[in-house]
Amino acid sequence: MAEIPATRPKEGGRNPHSGGMGAPSTAARQETVHPEAMKLMEAVVGRENMRKALQRVVANKGAPGVDAMTVGALVPYLTKNWERIKRELLAGDYRPDAVRTVAIPKPSGKGVRVLGIPTALDRLIQQALNQTLTPVFDPTFSEQSFGFRPKRSAHQAVLKARSHVTAGKRFVVDIDLENFFDRINHDVLMARVARRVGDKRVLCLIRRYLTAGLMIGGVMSARVQGTPQGGPLSPLLSNILLDELDRELERRGHAFVRYADDCNIYVGSKAAGVRVLASITRFLEKRLKLAVNAQKSAVDHPWRRTFLGYSMTMHKVPRLKVSPEAVVRFKAKLKAMVRSGRGHSISRLIEELAPLLRGWIAYFRLAEVKGIFEELDGWLRRKLRCILWRQWKRTYTRAKKLMGRGLSKDGALRSAMNGRGPWWNSGASHMNRALPTSFFANLGLVSLLDRLHQFQCSS
């Protein structure tokens, strides 16, 4: 596959909000169609590009789409049908299947988010498109954009946000785009894609993916706006659209951070924030046809808001901490897993909890306020003690177990016959003595506080 060179930004001066030398400014990020971008479809269907796309789709697994084809069945299907599919793509005749929709609860617990699941074949083609288009668009994106980009992460976005507050920007304009992925205007988006893509076959294919029908409860419905969350191409398309917002913020000289549709603008006063929120709302509604959620958007101090699960302290040099909302969501997940594992052995339950605990602390390893990790460790151990108390059931069994864990006969009997409920007993001194922290550590329970210390010592 011929490599598709990206149009490089012209050399320019340093943007005061770019975060580094040579970052592409508004003027530097040219929107010219590269000559090789006229033949992008050949690059999309190139052998090496498709091989990489197939590896990625297989590794990601995922549920079947409307055709019920699993990822495991994709390779045999391609063996028989790839030459035909390739001809259709090169001729501009390929038509995607409809998208199967699945509703999942939002992290906040309020309402649901509708995910679109393309077929395994369409996920493969979208991934191949994404791999080919990313080198064309990504080098022109803002240095303040961190979501769904190579070598960029949520952690970088959080650290950049903290740096703006440290620099004296003590107010944040927290913009919430209402149902962003469902509200994307196809014409506005395609106009921006066409600025750098000259291959009409690629443009036509992207448009077909945008307008592919939705299968909801077995009923097909047309889609006139939005791009379904769940397809490999959707994150890149969202960045292409919101790059216009980044350019406008750069043009105005604002300090900001954007991660996908989460955009925070940092200003020096509340009055300035109110003005910025009003003007950027008008820009989004008129230029990009996007709606701002007035109830969720706000101008406030950063330590009263949440950005990517983090908040920060109000010190002159702010310290990062896990937001209260993130703690509530995490405890809800742990409660659900503990509830479903009541009938299992405690060692098996601890093994099932390990991936969630490791993943959560790996994400929140930037936190500098550590009290919540110790609190969560203690709370989880109490939940596990509660399960054991329930499993022991009878008074005799409870007394015997407590004696086996080192309590005296009289003390064990008094504790077993106290008449209190499981949660009270799980926090009582007799259960803490019988089942100390070392007991759970020996069973492999992940300590959030210990893992945090490990991350910070290794960094």
Side-chain angles (χ1 to χ4, degrees):
M1 179 191 76
E3 183 178 355
I4 306 301
T7 302
R8 297 293 178 184
K10 297 177 182 177
E11 294 296 326
R14 182 176 181 180
N15 185 309
H17 302 291
S18 67
M21 293 297 292
S25 66
T26 302
R29 287 187 271 145
Q30 300 299 306
E31 289 188 311
T32 55
V33 176
H34 193 281
E36 296 240 7
M38 303 295 290
K39 300 179 180 179
L40 278 176
M41 189 59 81
E42 280 73 15
V44 171
V45 301
R47 182 180 181 84
E48 184 62 19
N49 189 54
M50 293 304 304
R51 184 187 66 80
K52 290 180 180 179
L54 181 60
Q55 287 180 337
R56 186 69 175 269
V57 170
V58 170
N60 289 343
K61 300 179 181 179
V66 295
D67 62 355
M69 182 191 295
T70 63
V71 171
L74 186 56
V75 172
Y77 179 82
L78 290 172
T79 302
K80 295 180 180 178
N81 296 280
W82 173 242
E83 288 304 320
R84 172 185 58 80
I85 297 167
K86 181 178 178 179
R87 285 195 303 271
E88 291 178 358
L89 288 167
L90 289 172
D93 295 332
Y94 180 82
R95 294 190 176 276
D97 284 319
V99 174
R100 183 168 71 89
T101 59
V102 176
I104 61 170
K106 289 185 176 180
S108 63
K110 298 178 181 179
V112 296
R113 174 176 289 126
V114 178
L115 293 183
I117 303 177
T119 64
L121 175 60
D122 283 325
R123 292 206 296 274
L124 172 68
I125 297 172
Q126 284 195 37
Q127 180 61 35
L129 277 168
N130 181 63
Q131 292 169 181
T132 306
L133 293 174
T134 293
V136 174
F137 284 96
D138 191 79
T140 70
F141 287 156
S142 170
E143 285 294 307
Q144 312 309 311
S145 166
F146 294 89
F148 308 121
R149 297 184 60 191
K151 299 181 181 180
R152 287 177 169 259
S153 67
H155 284 169
Q156 292 173 327
V158 170
L159 292 173
K160 175 59 73 173
R162 184 182 64 176
S163 73
H164 289 317
V165 179
T166 302
K169 306 290 187 180
R170 309 297 279 182
F171 283 86
V172 60
V173 181
D174 188 351
I175 296 176
D176 184 274
L177 295 175
E178 189 171 5
N179 298 322
F180 169 69
F181 283 93
D182 296 331
R183 293 286 187 90
I184 289 177
N185 183 287
H186 293 170
D187 293 333
V188 172
L189 171 60
M190 290 306 303
R192 280 143 186 82
V193 175
R195 289 173 183 174
R196 298 187 58 78
V197 174
D199 192 325
K200 293 184 179 180
R201 297 165 299 177
V202 171
L203 294 173
C204 183
L205 182 59
I206 294 173
R207 171 76 75 165
R208 286 172 180 167
Y209 274 121
L210 291 174
T211 57
L214 295 175
M215 185 70 75
I216 305 174
V219 179
M220 183 81 72
S221 63
R223 186 167 68 231
V224 295
Q225 65 177 5
T227 177
Q229 296 184 65
L233 193 57
S234 293
L236 176 60
L237 295 178
S238 69
N239 273 334
I240 292 172
L241 181 64
L242 290 176
D243 184 58
E244 186 123 352
L245 170 62
D246 299 341
R247 295 184 184 220
E248 180 66 15
L249 293 173
E250 286 177 350
R251 187 185 68 78
R252 299 184 186 189
H254 288 309
F256 71 98
V257 181
R258 184 176 65 79
Y259 189 94
D261 57 327
D262 288 328
C263 184
N264 279 3
I265 307 166
Y266 296 87
V267 296
S269 68
K270 186 164 187 177
V274 171
R275 290 194 300 270
V276 169
L277 178 58
S279 63
I280 292 300
T281 296
R282 289 193 298 270
F283 172 83
L284 288 166
E285 291 175 347
K286 292 181 180 180
R287 285 288 292 274
L288 300 183
K289 309 300 181 185
L290 296 172
V292 173
N293 189 323
Q295 281 69 42
K296 293 184 179 180
S297 300
V299 178
D300 208 337
H301 292 295
W303 46 88
R304 293 178 180 168
R305 304 297 293 179
T306 295
F307 182 54
L308 301 178
Y310 281 87
S311 187
M312 59 185 76
T313 63
M314 59 187 296
H315 298 92
K316 185 174 182 180
V317 179
R319 299 164 66 207
L320 293 173
K321 64 179 184 178
V322 184
S323 72
E325 296 87 348
V327 173
V328 169
R329 291 196 296 268
F330 182 55
K331 290 180 77 170
K333 288 182 181 179
L334 288 173
K335 284 179 182 178
M337 291 187 69
V338 168
R339 192 179 303 114
S340 64
R342 283 178 180 172
H344 301 166
S345 68
I346 202 71
S347 58
R348 178 180 168 185
L349 178 56
I350 287 173
E351 185 179 349
E352 292 171 348
L353 289 170
L356 175 61
L357 294 168
R358 289 196 186 99
W360 194 82
I361 189 58
Y363 181 76
F364 286 106
R365 66 180 182 268
L366 297 181
E368 298 159 296
V369 179
K370 303 175 183 179
I372 189 59
F373 300 101
E374 185 176 10
E375 180 184 324
L376 285 169
D377 279 339
W379 175 82
L380 180 56
R381 287 193 297 269
R382 184 173 180 181
K383 294 291 287 185
L384 296 175
R385 292 187 186 106
C386 185
I387 286 180
L388 286 171
W389 186 262
R390 289 177 182 275
Q391 289 180 347
W392 293 345
K393 292 184 180 179
R394 299 170 183 243
T395 300
Y396 171 78
T397 303
R398 288 169 177 169
K400 183 178 178 181
K401 291 288 187 180
L402 291 173
M403 286 188 286
R405 297 295 307 167
L407 271 68
S408 67
K409 182 177 180 180
D410 287 345
L413 285 171
R414 281 197 306 271
S415 299
M417 295 187 293
N418 62 37
R420 300 275 191 164
W423 184 245
W424 185 92
N425 276 282
S426 66
S429 59
H430 55 270
M431 285 294 279
N432 278 272
R433 292 199 307 273
L435 303 171
T437 300
S438 59
F439 169 81
F440 295 105
N442 290 334
L443 290 177
L445 180 65
V446 174
S447 166
L448 298 173
L449 186 60
D450 288 349
R451 293 284 290 181
L452 180 66
H453 287 153
Q454 291 170 13
F455 278 122
Q456 294 180 343
C457 288
S458 63
S459 62

